[in-house]
Amino acid sequence: MRALSPPAERDERGSDFARLSRRVAEAGLLERRPGYYAARMAVVGGLFAGVWVAFALIGDSWWQLAVAFFLAVMSGQVALLAHDLAHGQVFRTRRASATAGLLVGNLGIGLGYGWWQDKHTRHHANPNHEDHDPDVSPEVLVWSVRQAEASGGLARFIGRRQAFLFFPLLTLEAVNLHVSSVRGLRRPTLRNRWAEALLLFAHFALYLGGILAMLPLGKAVVFMIVHQALFGVYLGCVFAPNHKGMPVLTAGDRLDFLRRQVLTSRNVTGGLLVDTALGGLNHQIEHHLFPSMPSVNLRRARPLVREHCAALGVDYTECGLLASWGQALRHLHAVGEPLRR
């Protein structure tokens, strides 16, 4: 695992991050992009609705499995829109972002917007920190040797072969998100709880009712299994390359904001296709430094961030998509070694 870089000397103009932030702001990269998001929402929303129209037109046929595949892809794209809304990238006000997030997340794909926003905010505050980042909580997988040695139950059982089980487990990720969204409704601190609950259960009713109305029970079950499994794999393939296999922080690590975000994140190269498939989150370093930056601007911020990190001697990690998965799987296999003894 790569060693964490020590803090560099700061000059009189402020912190290392403050100087980078000024350059990014002067380049206009933090400004809203309403035209881009209007077009993106129209395309994604139109294609998402179009898949359901195709589902209704095809009717009782095994060709619906092809529809389930495209529905999984479009569900992932809707989830990426919900992500940008949660970060305040789209609208200027919190109310507008929350309203759109509830419609896109809860009603559109059955993802609890408020629950997920809270969880994701905690991840951004302490990325890859084994005590504070909920995304590396050892509930099923273990992300560090210390977690492996302290694990028990399911995590200990799976941890022995977790690298080989990672992608099969992703087929359950969408269902896990649905269940966690429902469980999140019990939190007394959840904002707009009744709206969250109403729209979430409306999604489940429309989803189950529509599928069961159009397909016999057997085909309906297969359709839902294919859709939810591929949806989970897609989400995992979007988010796993960003941090998995990067340094895991502990209570003893003392890093400033810039280093905490850059050293635990990985960019994924691949051009426009990867940008589209991953919703711009392949520029994860820039996203973690500037979470409210419109995702379309992250690519333009990349040269500025790379240059700044090089001047500071801070490691800036990027690789191809397949290489990122390989690094994540090798990391999972390595930290599970104590459980295989």
Side-chain angles (χ1 to χ4, degrees), residues 14-189:
S15 70
D16 294 331
F17 174 71
R19 287 183 281 122
L20 173 62
S21 183
R22 282 194 292 270
R23 293 185 63 192
V24 168
E26 289 168 359
L29 300 178
L30 298 178
E31 297 175 2
R32 297 292 192 280
R33 296 289 299 274
Y36 162 77
Y37 275 110
R40 180 174 166 187
M41 286 182 171
V43 171
V44 171
L47 290 175
F48 185 68
V51 174
W52 282 113
V53 171
F55 172 81
L57 293 176
I58 292 174
D60 182 4
S61 168
W62 286 111
W63 282 107
Q64 293 285 19
L65 297 186
V67 176
F69 170 83
F70 287 108
L71 183 59
V73 173
M74 294 316 304
S75 296
Q77 287 292 312
V78 172
L80 289 169
L81 270 178
H83 168 273
D84 288 9
L85 287 164
H87 278 294
Q89 298 176 15
V90 183
F91 299 107
R92 293 187 180 278
T93 67
R94 178 178 293 180
R95 180 184 294 274
S97 297
T99 300
L102 288 171
L103 294 174
V104 170
N106 292 54
L107 183 61
I109 56 174
L111 174 65
Y113 177 79
W115 161 79
W116 184 85
Q117 183 183 43
D118 174 75
K119 173 178 177 289
H120 195 61
T121 299
R122 288 184 284 126
H123 157 70
H124 266 264
N126 292 282
N128 260 26
H129 195 294
E130 62 180 7
D131 296 323
H132 303 302
D133 184 355
D135 288 354
V136 293
S137 175
E139 297 175 354
V140 177
L141 302 176
V142 293
W143 305 100
S144 69
V145 171
R146 193 180 84 165
Q147 287 183 347
E149 293 172 341
S151 65
L154 183 62
R156 189 171 188 85
F157 174 76
I158 291 178
R160 296 183 178 93
R161 295 290 181 268
Q162 61 182 9
F164 301 98
L165 296 173
F166 180 70
F167 281 105
L169 286 171
L170 286 181
T171 61
L172 303 175
E173 180 60 19
V175 174
N176 174 57
L177 291 175
H178 297 320
V179 172
S180 297
S181 297
V182 173
R183 292 173 61 186
L185 295 173
R186 298 181 299 181
R187 292 176 45 218
T189 57

Side-chain angles (χ1 to χ4, degrees), residues 162-245:
Q162 61 182 9
F164 301 98
L165 296 173
F166 180 70
F167 281 105
L169 286 171
L170 286 181
T171 61
L172 303 175
E173 180 60 19
V175 174
N176 174 57
L177 291 175
H178 297 320
V179 172
S180 297
S181 297
V182 173
R183 292 173 61 186
L185 295 173
R186 298 181 299 181
R187 292 176 45 218
T189 57
L190 182 67
R191 295 182 178 181
N192 306 311
R193 186 194 296 187
W194 291 110
E196 291 257 2
L198 178 64
L199 293 173
L200 195 60
F201 287 109
H203 166 82
F204 295 141
L206 291 170
Y207 179 81
L208 294 171
I211 292 173
L212 291 172
M214 293 297 298
L215 298 177
L217 181 60
K219 286 179 182 174
V221 170
V222 174
F223 179 92
M224 288 186 283
I225 289 174
V226 172
H227 170 224
Q228 297 297 326
L230 294 180
F231 181 24
V233 171
Y234 184 17
L235 289 177
C237 290
V238 169
F239 289 98
N242 301 333
H243 301 282
K244 309 315 178 192

